[in-house]
Amino acid sequence: MFYVILFAMIAGFLALRLYSVLGKRTGHEQALPKPAEERVGAQAMPRTIDMTPEVRESANRPIEAGAESGLRAVISADSSFDVAQFVEGSKSAYRMILEAFWKGDEETLAWLVEDEVRGGFAEAIAERKAAGHVLDNRLVAIERAMIIDASVEGKVARITVRFDADIAAVTRDQDGNVVAGSLSDAVETHDIWTFARNLRSDDPNWKLVETDEA
């Protein structure tokens, strides 16, 4: 069972696609805005809580050693937290947010990211429109999603995920002519996104609060 509303939206959205549409920064693509704070929502992995919270990972171990203590704190504060589901959810959120940014879909971004992050996205989208440019990007693959940090500060849980992915990116002008990039060549990108959630809130959503490049 998944407690994040975001996933319900993602499920329907992704059902329309047979491939993942992931986003990354490239030399041809408009860079993601990086205001002081911007992060993405995510989800967690099934586990059992005993006397002492423990982090259980899959064979692929989507957790860096330095993040384990922080994840234990998250699990202690929220016994329903599931690492595996969170990682899968973060991939979907990553895909949806970048696709919305590429398309200039500010309505979708509004419920996926925090206000400050949304402001940065809106500014970048406006600049792109003013230049008469359109992004025609395609996700090739998410090679890896790894939790690299986690913490609980007061009532707020924060989890940082590193995404290593490949995309093909093209920038077109308002007439559809290619200005830069190529859809035939994939470019490696490495992003670090942080998701946050108030654990005492009735709102089950994790939202993007910060983005950066690895």
Side-chain angles (χ1 to χ4, degrees):
M1 175 178 180
F2 188 39
Y3 54 76
V4 179
I5 295 174
L6 171 61
F7 256 15
M9 300 293 293
I10 292 174
F13 187 82
L14 298 182
L16 302 177
R17 294 159 175 73
L18 296 179
Y19 62 91
S20 300
V21 181
L22 213 343
K24 310 180 177 188
R25 304 182 192 73
T26 73
H28 310 306
E29 169 184 355
Q30 179 175 346
L32 286 173
K34 292 188 289 184
E37 299 214 327
E38 26 180 78
R39 304 171 189 172
V40 178
Q43 304 173 326
M45 157 185 176
R47 51 161 276 99
T48 301
I49 302 297
D50 299 312
M51 293 296 290
T52 302
E54 82 177 284
V55 178
R56 297 187 179 180
E57 319 94 25
S58 68
N60 292 325
R61 188 176 172 74
I63 306 166
E64 284 194 354
E68 291 181 356
S69 61
L71 284 174
R72 290 191 182 96
V74 174
I75 292 167
S76 293
D78 180 4
S79 61
S80 67
F81 182 80
D82 180 305
V83 178
Q85 287 183 347
F86 181 90
V87 172
E88 289 307 307
S90 70
K91 291 179 184 179
S92 296
Y94 182 62
R95 175 186 307 117
M96 288 190 69
I97 290 171
L98 286 171
E99 182 172 66
F101 173 65
W102 293 341
K103 293 181 177 179
D105 184 354
E106 296 184 48
E107 183 176 352
T108 295
L109 290 172
W111 54 266
L112 291 171
V113 306
E114 290 290 356
D115 290 345
E116 187 172 355
V117 182
R118 180 176 56 180
F121 280 127
E123 182 178 350
I125 289 171
E127 292 176 354
R128 189 169 69 214
K129 289 181 177 179
H133 291 164
V134 175
L135 299 183
D136 184 8
N137 298 344
R138 299 288 184 273
L139 168 68
V140 176
I142 299 177
E143 299 295 342
R144 184 179 72 160
M146 175 78 70
I147 294 176
I148 62 173
D149 193 22
S151 65
V152 177
E153 301 171 10
K155 300 176 293 185
V156 179
R158 298 177 185 275
I159 298 178
T160 301
V161 182
R162 171 179 169 133
F163 298 97
D164 297 322
D166 303 317
I167 65 166
V170 165
T171 298
R172 300 180 185 277
D173 62 21
Q174 57 189 359
D175 296 319
N177 300 310
V178 175
V179 174
S182 169
L183 286 176
S184 61
D185 297 316
V187 178
E188 293 184 6
T189 61
H190 310 284
D191 293 311
I192 295 176
W193 284 17
T194 302
F195 301 87
R197 176 176 178 265
N198 186 328
L199 298 177
R200 298 181 188 176
S201 172
D202 292 332
D203 184 354
N205 289 296
W206 288 81
K207 289 191 174 182
L208 176 64
V209 294
E210 183 175 356
T211 70
D212 201 352
E213 294 183 17

